[in-house]
Amino acid sequence: MPRPAQRPPQNWSRHAALAGQAFRFGVVGTAGFVVDTATLYLALWLGAGLYGGRVLSYLAAASGNWALNRAWTFRAARRPGGHAGAARQWALFLLVNLVGFAVNYGTYAALVASWPLAAAHPVLAVAAGSLAGMTGNFVLSRRFVFRGA
């Protein structure tokens, strides 16, 4: 006896929306990686050093990521009103993403300290750190910063 055609799960559209958000978050993260790397190399050129330069580059990338995620990835989320509300959301984004930053920066620092190739080409360590922190940042941002997305 032939099996009846299976219907897609009822939550399919919700899963598709979540997958779309995750994809957009990844695209934004890729843009953040470019900003992070460019800012790091600029900071190194200005003499900031591998560790201090990375703090500056992370802040630049995270700020850009917040703006892009707010405008594109989580555009359906409730938005706090006015300039003060946006500033609070940006600060919350940075605060919540400290978990991802700890993983990101820890991975970067471990690679720069232990792998001569990463110390010579910090972009490798930046990439590894970015990937390591991205999943946690997505979950935490969606839950705490861009609620209702």
Side-chain angles (χ1 to χ4, degrees):
M1 181 169 190
R3 287 178 58 186
Q6 290 189 335
R7 295 183 316 190
Q10 288 179 326
N11 293 331
W12 185 83
S13 63
R14 190 169 49 188
H15 292 299
L18 180 62
Q21 277 184 342
F23 174 77
R24 289 188 300 273
F25 193 85
V27 170
V28 169
T30 300
F33 167 75
V34 172
V35 170
D36 199 347
T37 302
T39 305
L40 173 62
Y41 277 85
L42 176 62
L44 291 173
W45 182 73
L46 293 171
L50 286 171
Y51 301 101
R54 185 66 208 289
V55 171
L56 296 173
S57 71
Y58 180 83
L59 285 172
S63 296
N65 285 0
W66 165 77
L68 289 172
N69 280 317
R70 178 180 164 92
W72 185 43
T73 305
F74 300 110
R75 65 182 170 262
R78 291 187 302 271
R79 293 192 180 202
H83 181 70
R88 277 194 307 276
Q89 188 184 49
W90 170 78
L92 180 60
F93 182 81
L94 292 180
L95 181 66
V96 164
N97 282 271
L98 282 176
V99 173
F101 173 74
V103 172
N104 183 325
Y105 192 84
T107 301
Y108 168 85
L111 288 174
V112 165
S114 65
W115 190 24
L117 185 62
H121 304 283
V123 64
L124 299 172
V126 172
S130 295
L131 289 173
M134 187 169 45
T135 300
N137 283 344
F138 175 71
V139 171
L140 294 172
S141 291
R142 189 171 191 277
R143 176 157 172 88
F144 295 109
V145 180
F146 301 104
R147 287 175 269 172

